[in-house]
Every structure is written in structure tokens, then in C-alpha cells.
Amino acid sequence: MKLSRRDFLATSSVALGTVTHALGQTPAAPAAPAPPQTSFDPLRGNVGIFSGRGGTIGMFVAPDGLVVVDTQFPDTAKIALGNLKQMSPRQIDFLINTHHHGDHTSGNAVFRPSAAKHVAHKNVPALQKTQAAAGKSEAQQAYADTTYDTTWSEKVGAETISLKYYGPGHTSGDSVVTFQNANIVHMGDLMFYQRHPRVDRPAGASIRNWIVTLESVAKEHPADTIYVAGHAKVNLPVNVTRADLLKFRDYFSGLLDYVQKGIASGRAATEIVKVATVPGFADYEGSPEGTIQAAYEELTAKG
Ligand SMILES: [Zn+2]
């Protein structure tokens, strides 16, 4: 059957809500939202990953210790906490935020009553407050009560958890979280797997130091370390290898090189961002525009 334009509009009330409204029709009642798709995958050494909506949640679940890294959004945080409670009746020893972004901290308030301590880099609470004020979500926030400057480490049962700040990268408050015995490192958003990353310059990001950070992290951990990425291209895993980490470093080097050449040849930022991908990284998901724009701003910043 061929649909007339009017039929098309009537059947597209969700996508074209304002249009149907203008035609004087009542938009169809929206269907109840499907529950979010979530999964929990054990990796090794009592560490697993919870995927739902937003940044990957890391979980350490042992008879003598519980640690949660990042909290996504309230709806998936409730599911993650439910999963955790089925696995262990313990109180969470440490709730950790890798950085302040909403897709890693909006579920904090769900986990906080079940956690003894809430840890993040010292720059995170202020960044999170600024973000909450901008989004008028102050009342829904829970902030870290334990912060650190360059390193933080605690024993949790037989495991040792360490946080390290390498300087500005994705933001200016990113922690790299190492589970020493399990030999697993949660990278937060310092690692995007085959996706163009967000570079949050207003929050103090630095691509140049992000490159150095990826290099240092790779050097400071064994060759067989499992790295957990904050985000991955759809249908790809978030647990990655040292080679993946170094490929992401090469992506940034290629990005800076591409943008630097554009600047040197006198091209405007608007022209430089108009490219399908960062050259050599066509398999990366999403638009590179925001990342290229951030690189341009970083390379042309004064001082
Ligand atoms: Zn982020």
C-alpha cells in the first residue's frame, strides 16, 4: 500500500510530534518504554562488567569485599544494584567514580546508601556540581566523600584497588582504576573502543596529555592486563587489550596530525571538521566532528 503524506504523518506521531500537533491531530499515546537492556559479564579475579545505558560499570564481588566503579543512570543503576545484592549480601566497601559525567554518576544516589565510602579524584565534585547546575539536576546528585590528588589505594579483602590521576585527559578528573590481583584496569572514558571520543575541554580535557596517559598506562601494567573501556562501538566488547589502548593513542596522534596540517595550510576550523572520519580510522563509530573541533581548539589555544 502506498501511504499518502497525511497517512505518513499520522503514523509518525512520535518522530514528528510537532507536525501532527500542527495538523490538529491528537498524538497517539506513547507505548510504555521497554525496560533497558542490561547484562553482567564476569571477566576474571572476581571482577565483572555491567552494561546497560551509559558508561560501563565495573564490579568487584568477593566474599570479603565489594567495589563498584561508576553508576550510569538511576534506572540501570537499580538493576545493577539488584544484581549485586543477589551475588552478595555485603555492604559495598567502595563506590568509585572514574569522572563526573552524567552517564557515569547519575546512578550515584541509587548506590550511595549501600556503600561505606565514595571515592573520586579531587576535581570531580566541583565538576559534577557545575554540570548539575547546568542541567538543573542538583537534587539528584551524590558526591564523592573521599578524594585524592595523584594516587589512592586500599586493600579490599585479598584484592588491592588503586586509583591514579595522570593529569588532564577526557576531563580534568579522570581516574584509572586498577584491580591488581585480577589484573584488570577500568579506564572510565579515557578509553573509547572504536568510537570517536568526547573531549570535554570546558572540563579541562587535553588530547596531548591523553596520548601521554594512554602510553603510561600501557607501560605501567602487564602485557595481559584486561582494560575496561567506558564506551565501545555498538556490538563490540568493552573489555579490550593493550594493543587496543595503543591503537586509541595512535588515533589521537593521527587526529592532531590531521588538524595541525589543516591549520598549517590555512584552512578554517569549519572546513577541517568536514570530513567523514579521522584519516585511517574509518571503522570508528559516530561523527568525528566534535573530536576534531576539540583538537582544533587545543592546537590553536593561546598560552
Ligand atoms: Zn565521560
Side-chain angles (χ1 to χ4, degrees):
M1 184 187 85
K2 200 162 179 280
L3 291 179
S4 72
R5 177 167 166 75
R6 194 180 168 83
D7 288 336
F8 174 73
L9 290 174
T11 55
S12 306
S13 61
V14 175
L16 296 168
T18 53
V19 178
T20 49
H21 186 73
L23 290 172
Q25 297 170 354
T26 310
Q37 290 287 316
T38 64
S39 63
F40 177 77
D41 299 296
L43 293 177
R44 68 183 175 202
N46 297 320
V47 177
I49 43 177
F50 176 92
S51 301
R53 203 158 59 83
T56 314
I57 295 178
M59 287 183 183
F60 171 75
V61 188
D64 50 4
L66 284 191
V67 178
V68 171
V69 183
D70 286 346
T71 64
Q72 297 188 351
F73 295 98
D75 58 345
T76 53
K78 277 178 199 144
I79 297 169
L81 182 61
N83 289 1
L84 188 64
K85 290 200 156 153
Q86 278 178 358
M87 291 186 271
S88 169
R90 273 184 71 90
Q91 184 187 41
I92 297 166
D93 297 272
F94 298 104
L95 173 61
I96 295 165
N97 286 136
T98 59
H99 65 296
H100 70 285
H101 283 153
D103 60 322
H104 299 255
T105 59
S106 296
N108 282 358
V110 172
F111 280 98
R112 190 62 186 90
S114 304
K117 279 190 175 163
H118 183 178
V119 192
H121 181 259
K122 67 170 182 172
N123 292 343
V124 168
L127 289 166
Q128 193 183 333
K129 271 176 196 151
T130 304
Q131 172 185 261
K136 303 219 184 319
S137 62
E138 290 101 325
Q140 288 93 55
Q141 302 298 315
Y143 300 98
D145 55 25
T146 304
T147 60
Y148 74 98
D149 190 354
T150 51
T151 57
W152 175 94
S153 190
E154 283 280 344
K155 294 235 2 140
V156 184
E159 182 56 279
T160 302
I161 320 283
S162 304
L163 272 61
K164 185 165 176 179
Y165 178 63
Y166 287 84
H170 171 67
T171 67
S172 57
D174 306 288
S175 289
V176 171
V177 182
T178 300
F179 296 88
Q180 226 168 75
N181 295 345
N183 189 15
I184 291 176
V185 176
H186 194 309
M187 296 292 292
D189 280 1
L190 287 170
M191 183 65 203
F192 280 68
Y193 184 46
Q194 293 200 29
R195 267 178 72 163
H196 296 291
R198 177 176 173 198
V199 180
D200 192 349
R201 283 182 52 78
S206 163
I207 295 170
R208 281 182 280 219
N209 193 59
W210 198 337
I211 292 172
V212 176
T213 299
L214 290 168
E215 187 118 12
S216 303
V217 171
K219 251 186 226 146
E220 290 170 18
H221 293 91
D224 61 347
T225 296
I226 295 173
Y227 296 95
V228 175
H231 304 275
K233 182 177 178 174
V234 68
N235 294 329
L236 288 188
V238 290
N239 49 307
V240 303
T241 65
R242 177 192 273 180
D244 298 320
L245 214 67
L246 294 176
K247 194 183 168 205
F248 191 45
R249 170 205 59 186
D250 295 343
Y251 165 91
F252 280 127
S253 303
L255 168 73
L256 291 186
D257 188 51
Y258 165 73
V259 175
Q260 189 61 62
K261 280 184 182 138
I263 294 168
S265 65
R267 294 166 68 207
T270 48
E271 256 184 273
I272 297 172
V273 300
K274 264 192 227 143
V275 65
T277 188
V278 172
F281 294 87
D283 51 347
Y284 272 43
E285 182 178 75
S287 162
E289 194 170 321
T291 320
I292 295 174
Q293 178 68 32
Y296 181 88
E297 287 171 17
E298 183 170 330
L299 289 171
T300 54
K302 305 261 184 294

